[in-house]
Amino acid sequence: MLPHAKKRVLWVDDDPSQLLVGQSILERVGYTFLAAPDGQEALRIVAEKKPDLILLDYSLGDMTGKEVFDLLALQHENIRTGCLPVAMLTGRGATPAEQRALFSNGLAAYLLKPFSEPELLNVIENMILMSEVRATNRLLNQELEDTYSSILLALASLLSAKDNYTGEHSGAVLNFVAEVGMRLGMEEGSVYDLKLAALLHDIGKIGVPEAILRKPSRLEDWEKAIMDQHVVRGYEALKKLPRLKRVSEFVLRHHEWWDGRGYPDNLAGDQIPLEARIIAVVDAYDAMTSDRPYRKGLSQEIAIDRLREAAGTQFDPQVVECFANCLHEGLLGDRNVNLPEL
Ligand SMILES: [Fe+2]
């Protein structure tokens, strides 16, 4: 018996004699055999019985094997990712272009008829082995991502411990930026980086003395110079992590101004990454509307007016309008969030 016996193999073929031969070979070595005589039945069995591997004849009665494969790949993510491997069995050779299209859509193997019994079993063994490796890799990657997120949240909570306002503030900014980013056409991966940058944008304040960080009155020039270093400190710390290289750039730029009068490098307009322009607007809004020990926060309406007054000088006008629309439509989440999930 083979080491992968007990796995369920679905064989899709409109030739009953081929199914009988297949059943005899596979059951003899311990596989559980599932049979489908046409495409519709194959789709049903895959959905209901969750096979571990599929052998798909190229020419079926109701549709071609390629059409069945395309439908399966559309419906099942584990086929697209190769975790549920599919082999195409064919009596004629497909063109190289057809083969490329099938493989790029997740096809695991291509077996030309007539094939010998050892050849078939060998292909099945390899496909199952590969699918198990892929499934393990996906699990490990997910664990790695989760660990990474936990470390970043722990890092953010350090800032929260040093200065509670800054910690809460980062949490609220994170909630707001995602909606604005999506509205401005950012893709899912970019929105995730934007959220990371929002979470960590003031992390460099860990290096700012508390007397300056918590000073209720206006900062002296020398104090402001120290405070302003938080963007560079945050950037220097985060860029050392390969996964945060892009994010560190957004952190560095979140106090640049649209008209070039910000810091640390007087970048202007599109020179400033969109992510940093979004964080700048949301950051300012959240600071204006937060209650502090020495003053009450502004209302939403007044804060939006202030943002609009600074649109074109401090802020990107497009980002300000998008953010104002989100607020008016009540799309933004709870601002009083400490450290939400990434
Ligand atoms: Fe900042």
Side-chain angles (χ1 to χ4, degrees):
M1 190 175 285
L2 297 173
H4 292 295
K6 296 281 174 215
K7 294 278 183 186
R8 282 163 302 178
V9 178
L10 169 63
W11 194 313
V12 189
D13 204 313
D14 62 345
D15 178 354
S17 63
Q18 188 72 65
L19 287 176
L20 275 175
V21 173
Q23 181 170 14
S24 142
I25 296 172
L26 295 182
E27 286 187 344
R28 198 183 323 131
V29 291
Y31 288 111
T32 300
F33 185 81
L34 304 169
D38 55 47
Q40 285 304 332
E41 183 65 2
L43 295 174
R44 190 187 66 76
I45 290 180
V46 173
E48 288 177 12
K49 300 196 174 167
K50 313 240 175 286
D52 299 298
L53 182 141
I54 302 169
L55 300 168
L56 189 56
D57 193 45
Y58 195 86
S59 43
L60 296 165
D62 56 345
M63 50 181 110
T64 67
K66 183 184 177 310
E67 285 168 340
V68 177
F69 177 74
D70 287 343
L71 279 172
L72 284 171
L74 203 65
Q75 293 169 5
H76 301 276
E77 196 206 354
N78 55 359
I79 288 184
R80 296 192 297 277
T81 56
C83 294
L84 169 51
V86 181
M88 191 73 78
L89 314 177
T90 177
R92 65 165 183 86
T95 66
E98 282 173 322
Q99 287 192 27
R100 264 200 306 279
L102 287 164
F103 283 124
S104 72
N105 213 0
L107 187 76
Y110 203 83
L111 204 53
L112 206 59
K113 290 179 183 174
F115 40 80
S116 67
E117 185 176 321
E119 211 176 348
L120 172 68
L121 292 175
N122 191 34
V123 165
I124 291 177
E125 274 297 290
N126 285 337
M127 284 166 68
I128 289 178
L129 209 62
M130 283 306 295
S131 73
E132 286 177 349
V133 168
R134 284 201 185 95
T136 307
N137 278 348
R138 279 170 68 82
L139 209 64
L140 289 174
N141 278 339
Q142 188 54 51
E143 276 176 17
L144 201 63
E145 273 296 309
D146 291 348
T147 307
Y148 219 76
S149 297
S150 305
I151 291 171
L152 297 179
L153 286 169
L155 201 60
S157 73
L158 274 181
L159 180 58
S160 191
K162 170 150 182 165
D163 180 43
N164 194 41
Y165 162 72
T166 308
E168 286 184 5
H169 165 75
S170 297
V173 170
L174 184 155
N175 269 358
F176 292 171
V177 293
E179 180 63 34
V180 178
M182 283 188 286
R183 284 205 165 198
L184 291 177
M186 289 173 62
E187 300 197 343
E188 207 178 311
S190 301
V191 171
Y192 185 74
D193 280 354
L194 170 62
K195 287 169 78 178
L196 285 182
L199 178 71
L200 301 168
H201 72 283
D202 274 341
I203 200 72
K205 285 187 179 172
I206 285 179
V208 176
E210 285 174 34
I212 296 176
L213 206 55
R214 297 184 182 186
K215 187 175 177 183
S217 53
R218 194 179 177 81
L219 297 179
E220 301 291 333
D221 285 350
W222 67 271
E223 292 169 323
K224 187 174 179 314
I226 291 174
M227 180 69 115
D228 290 356
Q229 284 173 8
H230 79 276
V231 294
V232 178
R233 283 179 191 269
Y235 165 73
E236 294 289 346
L238 299 178
K239 78 171 185 186
K240 293 178 181 125
L241 298 167
R243 170 73 181 77
L244 295 188
K245 198 112 184 67
R246 288 185 72 234
V247 171
S248 69
E249 189 69 26
F250 310 149
V251 168
L252 179 66
R253 302 300 173 201
H254 78 273
H255 285 292
E256 298 283 6
W257 281 30
W258 182 250
D259 66 3
R261 290 188 297 131
Y263 64 89
D265 293 316
N266 304 115
L267 298 190
D270 291 343
Q271 289 178 312
I272 309 163
L274 174 61
E275 289 84 346
R277 284 179 266 146
I278 294 173
I279 292 170
V281 170
V282 180
D283 187 24
Y285 171 82
D286 196 67
M288 284 190 280
T289 53
S290 298
D291 288 331
R292 304 302 301 270
Y294 50 91
R295 64 147 171 83
K296 182 109 183 74
L298 299 178
S299 70
Q300 176 176 308
E301 290 68 29
I302 294 176
I304 293 175
D305 284 347
R306 297 265 172 94
L307 289 176
R308 285 194 168 127
E309 283 163 19
T313 52
Q314 186 173 354
F315 304 121
D316 176 348
Q318 190 197 5
V319 173
V320 170
E321 275 322 299
C322 179
F323 180 58
N325 288 339
C326 290
L327 284 173
H328 283 139
E329 291 166 33
L331 281 173
L332 301 178
D334 181 6
R335 67 180 302 284
N336 296 312
V337 175
N338 198 358
L339 289 174
E341 286 194 4
L342 287 167

